[in-house]
Amino acid sequence: MATPQIDLAAIEQAIKKIRKFTIQDIAGQTGFSTFDSKIGVETLMKTYACQMQVTDQGELIYDFGSLVRRES
């Protein structure tokens, strides 16, 4: 079974819009499943610097700031 393509451009646009978010926030912005949203965010983390925080409830907060590209 083939893996469906994830629209990284849509996820990137959502990240530019909200900057600091949970995977559920990205799923809500894009209409993608939380699974596809997580895969997309993790893929973009290879391209852009990202800081992560954990709330008291154990929820991960992703912070891409101003989308700074990682060094090669």
Side-chain angles (χ1 to χ4, degrees):
M1 182 190 286
T3 304
Q5 288 284 28
I6 298 170
D7 186 356
L8 292 178
I11 294 174
E12 190 172 348
Q13 288 302 313
I15 289 171
K16 286 179 182 178
K17 184 175 182 182
I18 55 180
R19 308 275 182 183
K20 199 172 186 179
F21 56 86
T22 64
I23 293 298
Q24 292 78 10
D25 295 332
I26 292 296
Q29 286 286 316
T30 61
F32 300 147
S33 69
T34 54
F35 178 80
D36 286 345
S37 296
K38 183 174 186 208
I39 296 298
V41 168
E42 288 174 351
T43 300
L44 289 171
M45 286 174 71
K46 294 173 186 174
T47 303
Y48 298 107
C50 177
Q51 293 184 354
M52 297 172 67
Q53 299 172 334
V54 180
T55 67
D56 292 338
Q57 295 78 28
E59 205 171 33
L60 287 176
I61 305 291
Y62 298 82
D63 185 353
F64 278 79
S66 58
L67 286 178
V68 175
R69 287 195 171 272
R70 291 186 180 278
E71 295 293 323
S72 298

